[in-house]
Amino acid sequence: PILRKNIYLYQKNVKKDFNDTKKILIIGGSQGAKFFDESITKVILKISKELNVEVCQQVFNKNKKILIEQQYNKYEIKHRLFNFDENLFEKLNNYDLAITRAGASAISELSQLCIPFIAIPFPFAKDNHQFYNAKNYLDKDLCWMIRQEDFEVKKVSFLLKNLLNNKEEYFSKKNNI
């Protein structure tokens, strides 16, 4: 089985509307993702100029963690930074959106908890399996996907702002999950 048994005990995200603060979960896999530390942080800083966001972010590099924290404090972004948390999902039923790699466990757990997600598959995964994991969800209209090689801060910021402002598209995916 892909899902751990205890995931079924966690409360699902049952939100039917957005709060003023948009809660974003950023997870890069069991070891974090250096790419996320740099690129996704830039996206969060950019959208925070227009949206009130709260972030829970897995950080790969301890030195980057200090820098990210300083940047989020400067922009007054409420945040929680962490390296790895085995019980992460038990606390996340109130997050609006996740940005994640596309490991089978992570995206299955996000789906089980009804947390819509943007998948950014790790391009160097064996047999490109993360791409195919995400594509399976994308083909069923369950998520959004951005290939890392196509990632541009401006485009991803636009997508994220649109998703968090466009309830129709967002809740369409959420209902499909």
Side-chain angles (χ1 to χ4, degrees):
I2 293 175
L3 295 173
R4 295 173 286 155
K5 286 182 183 180
N6 62 343
I7 199 80
Y8 295 103
L9 303 174
Y10 304 150
Q11 184 176 346
K12 292 185 179 196
N13 179 322
V14 294
K15 284 185 173 184
K16 301 284 186 210
D17 203 357
F18 288 127
N19 295 328
D20 288 338
T21 301
K22 309 302 192 260
K23 292 182 155 194
I24 302 169
L25 171 65
I26 303 164
I27 48 178
S30 61
Q31 299 301 312
K34 182 179 177 183
F35 176 80
F36 279 29
D37 288 358
E38 297 166 6
S39 301
I40 301 300
T41 299
K42 288 178 185 174
V43 169
I44 297 300
L45 293 172
K46 186 167 180 64
I47 68 166
S48 74
K49 295 174 185 174
E50 297 177 39
L51 294 173
N52 187 15
V53 295
E54 180 179 328
V55 177
C56 180
Q57 182 172 351
Q58 183 178 19
V59 179
F60 176 75
N61 180 303
K62 290 180 182 180
N63 292 329
K64 286 279 187 184
K65 184 177 180 180
I66 294 166
L67 178 62
I68 293 168
E69 187 154 34
Q70 289 171 344
Q71 291 173 319
Y72 285 170
N73 286 336
K74 179 180 177 182
Y75 285 86
E76 297 180 357
I77 298 169
K78 187 174 178 184
H79 62 278
R80 174 179 168 241
L81 305 178
F82 66 98
N83 291 7
F84 179 74
D85 185 346
E86 192 171 305
N87 299 314
L88 176 67
F89 288 103
E90 70 186 63
K91 310 170 221 169
L92 299 179
N93 63 341
N94 65 343
Y95 277 80
D96 297 306
L97 183 70
I99 301 171
T100 182
R101 288 299 194 186
S105 295
I107 60 178
S108 295
E109 290 174 351
L110 289 167
S111 295
Q112 173 64 25
L113 296 174
C114 294
I115 301 171
F117 61 91
I118 298 171
I120 304 175
F122 182 59
F124 307 107
K126 183 170 174 53
D127 299 325
N128 205 16
H129 73 274
Q130 286 200 7
F131 169 79
Y132 293 106
N133 291 346
K135 186 170 181 340
N136 181 51
Y137 282 76
L138 182 69
D139 289 347
K140 294 175 182 169
D141 203 24
L142 302 172
C143 75
W144 299 269
M145 180 173 68
I146 301 166
R147 295 185 77 149
Q148 184 170 309
E149 54 270 24
D150 298 330
F151 187 97
E152 293 178 26
V153 170
K154 186 176 180 179
K155 286 182 182 179
V156 176
S157 298
F158 179 80
L159 171 67
L160 200 52
K161 285 188 294 190
N162 186 49
L163 294 178
L164 295 172
N165 284 323
N166 181 346
K167 292 180 184 182
E168 188 176 311
E169 182 179 357
Y170 172 86
F171 282 105
S172 172
K173 292 274 194 283
K174 185 169 176 58
N175 292 332
N176 290 345
I177 292 174

